[in-house]
Amino acid sequence: MPNLKDLKTRINSVSSTQKITSAMKMVAAAKLRRAQEAAESGRPYAARMRSVIASLAAKADKASASPLLVGREDVKTHLLVIISADKGLCGGFNGSVARLARQQMTRLQGEGKKVQVYVVGRKAADNLGSEIADKTFARIEGVQGGVIQYASAADISAKIIAGFEEGSFDSVSMIYNQFVNAITQKVTHSSLIPAEVDASDDASDAQASFYDYEPEEAEILGALLPQNLSTQIFSALLESSAAELAARMTAMDNATRNAGDMIDRLTLVYNRTRQANITKELIEIISGAEAL
């Protein structure tokens, strides 16, 4: 049975931890509202950009269309853009991204393709470790954790386009956590090159075929496709930032409640141990008195 001093030290230690997790929960909750508003405000722009691309792609000549739209016919190397957090203590947020990235790498390699990764955030690289040591195309940290800047997404997009034009890879996709609500995050895998065109986008813009574009569709696509890449990455960064804060708030709330339960259990053991020691001392005193 542990002595009273050890129990008291343990209770104080858990209490200190509870104060830290409670503070982290409140900080995450305070930042979450702004991040959530930014993520939700960015969705219409990203969705509308996809629909415009779908409308133009429906009328574009596939043979002469930009490779950013249709990709390359022979895909030998695929680039995975993996977006995770720079910090931990957010439950399974980073682990879920790393898990899906690992599955996609296994699938692509099973199809005979080479894989490169562009790691945005420190934790994904830490989780994947040596698995991506010889596959890293680029790595960037410090993008998230505060106000997400469009310039950061533009820089990532420019590096991807440069690598694509140099022939370092033939297609690109992105893995990130999409914000759903304060307790739910959805791990999402979307295509960047070729541009992702959903059937719903085509259906919603069926009327677009009645419009004439000036200049021609191919010229508009040439200007819009790089911007679309930046927009989709920026939207993913906003979603990931909000999802990270929500995951951290939930994780710290659970940790705070678990610490409270542990303090209650340790306090009960402490009181029982203290009572047992008092009873033992009383018995010894009474036994000694009777012996006299």
Side-chain angles (χ1 to χ4, degrees):
M1 180 179 293
N3 58 47
L4 293 176
K5 183 179 180 181
D6 292 339
L7 286 169
K8 192 66 175 178
T9 300
R10 184 75 184 279
I11 290 172
N12 292 336
S13 176
V14 176
S15 296
S16 299
T17 302
Q18 185 184 40
K19 293 177 182 178
I20 294 172
T21 56
S22 178
M24 292 183 67
K25 171 195 168 184
M26 290 187 289
V27 170
K31 292 181 178 180
L32 175 60
R33 182 176 179 181
R34 178 177 296 180
Q36 179 179 348
E37 290 176 352
E40 292 175 346
S41 298
R43 288 174 185 171
Y45 294 96
R48 188 58 184 167
M49 179 67 80
R50 283 196 301 268
S51 65
V52 169
I53 294 296
S55 171
L56 293 170
K59 301 178 68 178
D61 182 3
K62 301 298 182 183
S64 60
S66 170
L68 291 175
L69 177 65
V70 299
R72 295 195 175 100
E73 185 176 352
D74 185 17
V75 178
K76 297 180 179 179
T77 305
H78 184 86
L79 177 70
L80 273 177
V81 181
I82 307 171
I83 300 178
S84 68
D86 290 318
K87 300 178 181 179
L89 298 176
C90 46
F93 176 86
N94 296 304
S96 58
V97 170
R99 191 179 306 111
L100 181 57
R102 190 176 288 111
Q103 292 172 357
Q104 291 299 319
M105 286 191 292
T106 301
R107 178 184 65 80
L108 290 166
Q109 290 171 344
E111 295 173 356
K113 300 174 183 176
K114 294 181 180 180
V115 178
Q116 294 190 24
V117 296
Y118 193 145
V119 183
V120 181
R122 181 167 59 89
K123 284 300 179 179
D126 292 345
N127 286 339
L128 293 171
S130 59
E131 297 178 58
I132 61 171
D134 58 344
K135 300 180 178 67
T136 302
F137 168 72
R139 179 174 175 177
I140 185 171
E141 299 177 8
V143 174
Q144 301 179 88
V147 178
I148 307 298
Q149 301 292 336
Y150 182 81
S152 300
D155 290 342
I156 296 171
S157 172
K159 192 170 185 66
I160 292 173
I161 292 174
F164 181 76
E165 292 176 345
E166 291 171 359
S168 300
F169 41 83
D170 307 300
S171 59
V172 185
S173 62
M174 177 171 58
I175 297 174
Y176 64 97
N177 271 301
Q178 182 181 11
F179 176 82
V180 178
N181 53 49
I183 60 174
T184 306
Q185 301 84 42
K186 179 182 178 183
V187 186
T188 303
H189 180 222
S190 61
S191 177
L192 293 177
I193 302 175
E196 189 170 55
V197 179
D198 295 332
S200 58
D201 294 330
D202 293 329
S204 63
D205 277 329
Q207 298 176 348
S209 59
F210 295 101
Y211 293 112
D212 289 328
Y213 289 93
E214 180 68 30
E216 296 297 324
E217 287 85 348
E219 188 174 346
I220 296 176
L221 277 172
L224 281 184
L225 285 171
Q227 187 173 350
N228 173 63
L229 195 65
S230 299
T231 300
Q232 302 308 323
I233 293 173
F234 182 57
S235 178
L237 290 172
L238 292 175
E239 295 281 351
S240 178
S241 180
E244 176 192 349
L245 291 170
R248 181 169 292 112
M249 183 185 72
T250 302
M252 292 300 98
D253 180 54
N254 292 334
T256 300
R257 287 189 282 106
N258 290 340
D261 294 340
M262 182 176 289
I263 290 172
D264 292 340
R265 291 195 299 270
L266 290 172
T267 301
L268 182 61
V269 174
Y270 176 85
N271 291 335
R272 287 177 176 174
T273 303
R274 181 171 176 272
Q275 185 63 44
N277 289 341
I278 293 173
T279 302
K280 180 181 178 181
E281 290 176 0
L282 288 174
I283 291 174
E284 291 175 351
I285 292 171
I286 294 172
S287 298
E290 289 180 350
L292 293 175

